[in-house]
mmCIF file of all heavy atoms in Angstrom:
data_model
loop_
_atom_site.group_PDB
_atom_site.id
_atom_site.type_symbol
_atom_site.label_atom_id
_atom_site.label_comp_id
_atom_site.label_asym_id
_atom_site.label_seq_id
_atom_site.Cartn_x
_atom_site.Cartn_y
_atom_site.Cartn_z
ATOM 1 N N GLY T 1233 102.627 78.631 99.843
ATOM 2 C CA GLY T 1233 102.595 77.951 101.133
ATOM 3 C C GLY T 1233 101.706 76.727 101.125
ATOM 4 O O GLY T 1233 101.226 76.295 102.176
ATOM 5 N N ILE T 1251 99.197 83.448 101.337
ATOM 6 C CA ILE T 1251 99.826 82.300 101.989
ATOM 7 C C ILE T 1251 98.792 81.446 102.722
ATOM 8 O O ILE T 1251 98.043 81.955 103.572
ATOM 9 C CB ILE T 1251 100.916 82.781 102.959
ATOM 10 C CG1 ILE T 1251 102.004 83.531 102.167
ATOM 11 C CG2 ILE T 1251 101.521 81.613 103.731
ATOM 12 C CD1 ILE T 1251 103.042 84.207 103.054
ATOM 13 N N ALA T 1252 98.760 80.163 102.394
ATOM 14 C CA ALA T 1252 97.847 79.218 103.037
ATOM 15 C C ALA T 1252 98.081 79.219 104.539
ATOM 16 O O ALA T 1252 99.230 79.191 105.002
ATOM 17 C CB ALA T 1252 98.056 77.818 102.472
ATOM 18 N N CYS T 1253 96.987 79.253 105.307
ATOM 19 C CA CYS T 1253 97.120 79.423 106.757
ATOM 20 C C CYS T 1253 96.326 78.391 107.546
ATOM 21 O O CYS T 1253 95.732 78.703 108.575
ATOM 22 C CB CYS T 1253 96.757 80.848 107.164
ATOM 23 S SG CYS T 1253 95.338 81.579 106.337
ATOM 24 N N GLY T 1254 96.290 77.143 107.027
ATOM 25 C CA GLY T 1254 95.800 76.037 107.821
ATOM 26 C C GLY T 1254 94.468 75.444 107.422
ATOM 27 O O GLY T 1254 94.130 74.356 107.884
ATOM 28 N N GLY T 1255 93.693 76.114 106.602
ATOM 29 C CA GLY T 1255 92.388 75.582 106.229
ATOM 30 C C GLY T 1255 92.472 74.469 105.209
ATOM 31 O O GLY T 1255 92.040 73.342 105.454
ATOM 32 N N HIS T 1256 93.050 74.766 104.044
ATOM 33 C CA HIS T 1256 93.201 73.760 102.988
ATOM 34 C C HIS T 1256 94.612 73.219 102.927
ATOM 35 O O HIS T 1256 94.867 72.144 102.374
ATOM 36 C CB HIS T 1256 92.828 74.353 101.631
ATOM 37 C CG HIS T 1256 93.754 75.432 101.152
ATOM 38 N ND1 HIS T 1256 93.831 76.661 101.756
ATOM 39 C CD2 HIS T 1256 94.647 75.461 100.124
ATOM 40 C CE1 HIS T 1256 94.726 77.409 101.124
ATOM 41 N NE2 HIS T 1256 95.245 76.698 100.144
ATOM 42 N N ALA T 1257 95.561 73.982 103.467
ATOM 43 C CA ALA T 1257 96.970 73.610 103.458
ATOM 44 C C ALA T 1257 97.697 74.544 104.421
ATOM 45 O O ALA T 1257 97.159 75.565 104.838
ATOM 46 C CB ALA T 1257 97.565 73.745 102.050
ATOM 47 N N GLY T 1258 98.938 74.171 104.753
ATOM 48 C CA GLY T 1258 99.766 75.047 105.555
ATOM 49 C C GLY T 1258 99.703 74.755 107.044
ATOM 50 O O GLY T 1258 98.695 74.279 107.568
ATOM 51 N N ASP T 1259 100.825 75.045 107.714
ATOM 52 C CA ASP T 1259 100.924 74.934 109.161
ATOM 53 C C ASP T 1259 101.906 76.001 109.628
ATOM 54 O O ASP T 1259 102.379 76.822 108.824
ATOM 55 C CB ASP T 1259 101.370 73.530 109.584
ATOM 56 C CG ASP T 1259 102.668 73.085 108.928
ATOM 57 O OD1 ASP T 1259 103.474 73.957 108.514
ATOM 58 O OD2 ASP T 1259 102.886 71.868 108.810
ATOM 59 N N ALA T 1260 102.216 76.019 110.911
ATOM 60 C CA ALA T 1260 103.095 77.056 111.446
ATOM 61 C C ALA T 1260 104.440 77.072 110.727
ATOM 62 O O ALA T 1260 104.964 78.139 110.371
ATOM 63 C CB ALA T 1260 103.297 76.851 112.951
ATOM 64 N N SER T 1262 105.259 75.969 107.638
ATOM 65 C CA SER T 1262 105.178 76.431 106.251
ATOM 66 C C SER T 1262 104.872 77.921 106.175
ATOM 67 O O SER T 1262 105.358 78.623 105.285
ATOM 68 C CB SER T 1262 104.122 75.629 105.480
ATOM 69 O OG SER T 1262 102.819 75.880 105.969
ATOM 70 N N MET T 1263 104.071 78.428 107.136
ATOM 71 C CA MET T 1263 103.777 79.862 107.144
ATOM 72 C C MET T 1263 105.034 80.674 107.448
ATOM 73 O O MET T 1263 105.313 81.682 106.784
ATOM 74 C CB MET T 1263 102.668 80.173 108.144
ATOM 75 C CG MET T 1263 101.283 79.786 107.664
ATOM 76 S SD MET T 1263 99.968 80.378 108.769
ATOM 77 C CE MET T 1263 99.966 79.089 110.022
ATOM 78 N N HIS T 1280 95.558 83.483 103.119
ATOM 79 C CA HIS T 1280 94.784 82.723 102.124
ATOM 80 C C HIS T 1280 93.933 81.669 102.840
ATOM 81 O O HIS T 1280 94.198 80.463 102.754
ATOM 82 C CB HIS T 1280 95.755 82.076 101.142
ATOM 83 C CG HIS T 1280 95.142 81.636 99.850
ATOM 84 N ND1 HIS T 1280 94.133 82.319 99.214
ATOM 85 C CD2 HIS T 1280 95.421 80.551 99.063
ATOM 86 C CE1 HIS T 1280 93.826 81.700 98.094
ATOM 87 N NE2 HIS T 1280 94.573 80.609 97.988
ATOM 88 N N PRO T 1281 92.893 82.114 103.571
ATOM 89 C CA PRO T 1281 92.062 81.175 104.329
ATOM 90 C C PRO T 1281 91.058 80.453 103.435
ATOM 91 O O PRO T 1281 90.746 80.915 102.331
ATOM 92 C CB PRO T 1281 91.347 82.086 105.324
ATOM 93 C CG PRO T 1281 91.185 83.370 104.580
ATOM 94 C CD PRO T 1281 92.438 83.507 103.749
ATOM 95 N N SER T 1282 90.528 79.358 103.948
ATOM 96 C CA SER T 1282 89.591 78.565 103.150
ATOM 97 C C SER T 1282 88.616 77.840 104.068
ATOM 98 O O SER T 1282 88.703 77.922 105.293
ATOM 99 C CB SER T 1282 90.351 77.532 102.307
ATOM 100 O OG SER T 1282 90.779 76.448 103.116
ATOM 101 N N PHE T 1283 87.702 77.115 103.437
ATOM 102 C CA PHE T 1283 86.941 76.145 104.224
ATOM 103 C C PHE T 1283 87.938 75.193 104.896
ATOM 104 O O PHE T 1283 88.991 74.886 104.321
ATOM 105 C CB PHE T 1283 86.017 75.324 103.319
ATOM 106 C CG PHE T 1283 84.796 76.056 102.822
ATOM 107 C CD1 PHE T 1283 84.497 76.084 101.469
ATOM 108 C CD2 PHE T 1283 83.940 76.702 103.708
ATOM 109 C CE1 PHE T 1283 83.361 76.732 101.008
ATOM 110 C CE2 PHE T 1283 82.804 77.356 103.255
ATOM 111 C CZ PHE T 1283 82.517 77.375 101.899
ATOM 112 N N PRO T 1284 87.637 74.710 106.110
ATOM 113 C CA PRO T 1284 88.545 73.759 106.772
ATOM 114 C C PRO T 1284 88.441 72.392 106.111
ATOM 115 O O PRO T 1284 87.721 71.511 106.573
ATOM 116 C CB PRO T 1284 88.037 73.747 108.223
ATOM 117 C CG PRO T 1284 86.580 74.109 108.114
ATOM 118 C CD PRO T 1284 86.474 75.051 106.948
ATOM 119 N N ASP T 1285 89.176 72.197 105.019
ATOM 120 C CA ASP T 1285 88.984 71.028 104.162
ATOM 121 C C ASP T 1285 90.304 70.641 103.507
ATOM 122 O O ASP T 1285 90.505 70.853 102.313
ATOM 123 C CB ASP T 1285 87.919 71.344 103.107
ATOM 124 C CG ASP T 1285 87.704 70.209 102.114
ATOM 125 O OD1 ASP T 1285 87.948 69.052 102.480
ATOM 126 O OD2 ASP T 1285 87.304 70.504 100.974
ATOM 127 N N ARG T 1286 91.201 70.080 104.300
ATOM 128 C CA ARG T 1286 92.492 69.685 103.763
ATOM 129 C C ARG T 1286 92.366 68.487 102.829
ATOM 130 O O ARG T 1286 93.144 68.326 101.891
ATOM 131 C CB ARG T 1286 93.461 69.388 104.907
ATOM 132 C CG ARG T 1286 93.713 70.606 105.792
ATOM 133 C CD ARG T 1286 94.571 70.259 106.992
ATOM 134 N NE ARG T 1286 95.978 70.212 106.651
ATOM 135 C CZ ARG T 1286 96.806 71.252 106.714
ATOM 136 N NH1 ARG T 1286 96.368 72.437 107.085
ATOM 137 N NH2 ARG T 1286 98.077 71.118 106.401
ATOM 138 N N THR T 1304 86.495 79.898 112.056
ATOM 139 C CA THR T 1304 87.657 79.311 111.385
ATOM 140 C C THR T 1304 88.398 80.355 110.552
ATOM 141 O O THR T 1304 89.632 80.342 110.476
ATOM 142 C CB THR T 1304 87.271 78.090 110.525
ATOM 143 O OG1 THR T 1304 88.485 77.469 110.057
ATOM 144 C CG2 THR T 1304 86.452 78.454 109.309
ATOM 145 N N ALA T 1307 90.423 82.442 112.948
ATOM 146 C CA ALA T 1307 91.565 81.652 113.431
ATOM 147 C C ALA T 1307 92.664 81.555 112.369
ATOM 148 O O ALA T 1307 93.863 81.687 112.689
ATOM 149 C CB ALA T 1307 91.097 80.257 113.837
ATOM 150 N N GLN T 1308 92.281 81.317 111.118
ATOM 151 C CA GLN T 1308 93.278 81.184 110.061
ATOM 152 C C GLN T 1308 94.004 82.504 109.793
ATOM 153 O O GLN T 1308 95.229 82.547 109.669
ATOM 154 C CB GLN T 1308 92.612 80.677 108.779
ATOM 155 C CG GLN T 1308 92.153 79.241 108.850
ATOM 156 C CD GLN T 1308 91.450 78.799 107.571
ATOM 157 O OE1 GLN T 1308 92.016 78.900 106.486
ATOM 158 N NE2 GLN T 1308 90.218 78.333 107.691
ATOM 159 N N ILE T 1309 93.241 83.585 109.688
ATOM 160 C CA ILE T 1309 93.856 84.890 109.413
ATOM 161 C C ILE T 1309 94.754 85.299 110.568
ATOM 162 O O ILE T 1309 95.870 85.803 110.370
ATOM 163 C CB ILE T 1309 92.771 85.954 109.155
ATOM 164 C CG1 ILE T 1309 91.936 85.585 107.925
ATOM 165 C CG2 ILE T 1309 93.404 87.339 108.955
ATOM 166 C CD1 ILE T 1309 90.630 86.370 107.802
ATOM 167 N N ALA T 1311 96.279 83.319 112.602
ATOM 168 C CA ALA T 1311 97.472 82.464 112.617
ATOM 169 C C ALA T 1311 98.575 83.061 111.758
ATOM 170 O O ALA T 1311 99.745 83.115 112.172
ATOM 171 C CB ALA T 1311 97.114 81.064 112.128
ATOM 172 N N LEU T 1312 98.227 83.528 110.560
ATOM 173 C CA LEU T 1312 99.254 84.136 109.716
ATOM 174 C C LEU T 1312 99.673 85.493 110.269
ATOM 175 O O LEU T 1312 100.851 85.864 110.184
ATOM 176 C CB LEU T 1312 98.768 84.274 108.274
ATOM 177 C CG LEU T 1312 99.869 84.758 107.317
ATOM 178 C CD1 LEU T 1312 100.943 83.691 107.139
ATOM 179 C CD2 LEU T 1312 99.302 85.169 105.960
#
Side-chain angles (χ1 to χ4, degrees):
I1251 298 172
C1253 41
H1256 66 291
D1259 55 24
S1262 66
M1263 284 188 277
H1280 198 36
S1282 76
F1283 285 128
D1285 177 27
R1286 299 175 81 90
T1304 188
Q1308 290 178 56
I1309 298 165
L1312 187 68

